[in-house]
Amino acid sequence: MPMDPIPLTLANLLLGPGFRGRRAPDRAFDRLLDAAGPAGGDEPYTDDFRHLLRCWAGAEHLTPVGWLSARGHVGRHLANRARVRRLLAEHPGIEQEPITAPVFVVGLPRTATTLTHSVLSLSADHRCPLLWELLAPALERTPAERERAITAARRLVDGINLFAPRFRHIHALRPEGPEECTFALPHTVMPLSQAVIPEYLPWHETRDFEADYRYLKQIYQVLQYGRPRRRWVLKSPLHLENLDALRAVFPDATIVWTHRDPATAVASFCSLVEHGMAVNTRPVDPHWIGATWLRLLARSASRGLASRAAVPRELLVDVPYSWLGADPAAGAPKLYAAVGARWTDADAARLAAAAARPKGTREHTYDLARYGLTRADVDAAFADYNTLRAEVDRA
């Protein structure tokens, strides 16, 4: 890894005095909870985030910027939860909003889930959540309120690009562009992409995620309330390990599962994690990243395989990487037909822009060996998944 960007070094120096706050994570959490607003009757939700912040506070090699990021992550989820609960109390009709036949794009990270989501977002019949909406879900805003929310999202993206300038070449974030449910789901494995938190993993692996998906549905009901109803097109690679919980809440969802060689996907994702983690953790151990995320991604694929047998065949769409990665013009109409959507001339006219690499970004290069992994390691971890992928490629 290159040396820290100068802005990151300066930020860590300036935030040094506040870094001592991680010695008292409960006090830090109580301040975040007070700032978020009333949480009476929501103790299971707040207790889970208190636990997360305690784990994060004890992370090895956490930087001052990393502690700021941890508090920002927890504080945002607490504030959003308080806002959503208040809106549900003020507008009981929100929970009557039908989220009908949504599409969920899932798959291992770096398997073209983002591209697939972007292509599906082209249709005027579809509704994709935008990054600024996911960061602060609310009812329809005034123009001034909307601009403030977009500006806040822009500042977050600018901060990531400033502190981790290579990150945007791997996964470019657009404040007003479609983004994934990861920003709205309360608990995912993503904290492990920012810090070494060994206590968090066993807690995560034994968690029942159905309540998280009920809350995710409430967020989309809030974003739909009082607005035109369109078919939701949603996305996150992290849904793959929780398909049972997802389908319990969204039983009529179409699952679009993207596929790619796991050796390529794992190497690419480890590189993404390394560049993002370097903002929060110093030094970064690439071999820890490789071992940790090989295990997590293989577990996700195994859980997805176990769940897919219960998905009705008409609600499951397998998308090989070649559909959009090799020839989007041929693959996009097939994708739309598979999910029961109309592919129009207007969609086709916008396809090239949706499929193009974001302006100003460079090709992403990566290598399994940097993360202490070999193709044999990955093939062994994903043996069952590779059997499915071979069937998908032959179909």
Side-chain angles (χ1 to χ4, degrees), residues 12 23 48 89 98 129 185 198 200 216 288 299-300 304 309 329 344 377:
N12 278 319
R23 299 172 188 166
D48 285 348
L185 273 170
Y200 180 68
L216 183 69
W288 179 89
R299 177 180 181 273
S300 177
T344 68
D377 295 329

Side-chain angles (χ1 to χ4, degrees), residues 42 46 61 65 79 95 97 154 156 173 198 204 206 215 240 253 272 315 320 341 354 356 360-361 363 377 380 393-394:
D42 205 24
T46 57
H61 309 303
V65 167
E95 289 198 274
E97 282 292 326
R154 194 173 294 128
L156 174 68
L173 294 168
H204 176 87
T206 58
Y215 174 53
L240 187 60
L272 182 148
L315 297 180
T361 62
E363 183 178 358
D377 295 329
D393 286 343
R394 287 195 298 267

Side-chain angles (χ1 to χ4, degrees), residues 3-80:
M3 294 179 62
D4 285 347
I6 290 174
L8 180 57
T9 300
L10 291 175
N12 278 319
L13 288 171
L14 291 171
L15 292 170
F19 193 39
R20 291 190 292 269
R22 77 170 181 153
R23 299 172 188 166
D26 282 343
R27 190 181 308 157
F29 182 85
D30 287 339
R31 287 196 291 267
L32 294 172
L33 191 57
D34 287 343
D42 205 24
E43 285 76 16
Y45 185 91
T46 57
D47 287 349
D48 285 348
F49 272 101
R50 185 183 294 276
H51 176 71
L52 174 58
L53 193 65
R54 286 173 179 167
C55 293
W56 220 321
E60 298 177 30
H61 309 303
L62 191 69
T63 65
V65 167
W67 178 233
L68 179 69
S69 297
R71 287 180 289 138
H73 175 95
V74 170
R76 176 171 63 81
H77 279 284
L78 293 177
N80 286 343

Side-chain angles (χ1 to χ4, degrees), residues 257-282:
W257 187 334
T258 60
H259 299 277
R260 190 183 190 187
D261 179 2
T264 302
V266 169
S268 178
F269 188 68
C270 284
S271 176
L272 182 148
V273 169
E274 181 181 9
H275 285 88
M277 196 174 203
V279 175
N280 303 289
T281 302
R282 299 300 289 185

Side-chain angles (χ1 to χ4, degrees), residues 229-249:
R229 292 175 181 170
R230 292 177 286 162
R231 189 184 191 187
W232 282 97
V233 175
L234 308 165
K235 168 250 180 179
S236 175
L238 305 185
H239 291 316
L240 187 60
E241 69 171 349
N242 292 318
L243 289 181
D244 288 344
L246 185 158
R247 295 194 62 252
V249 177

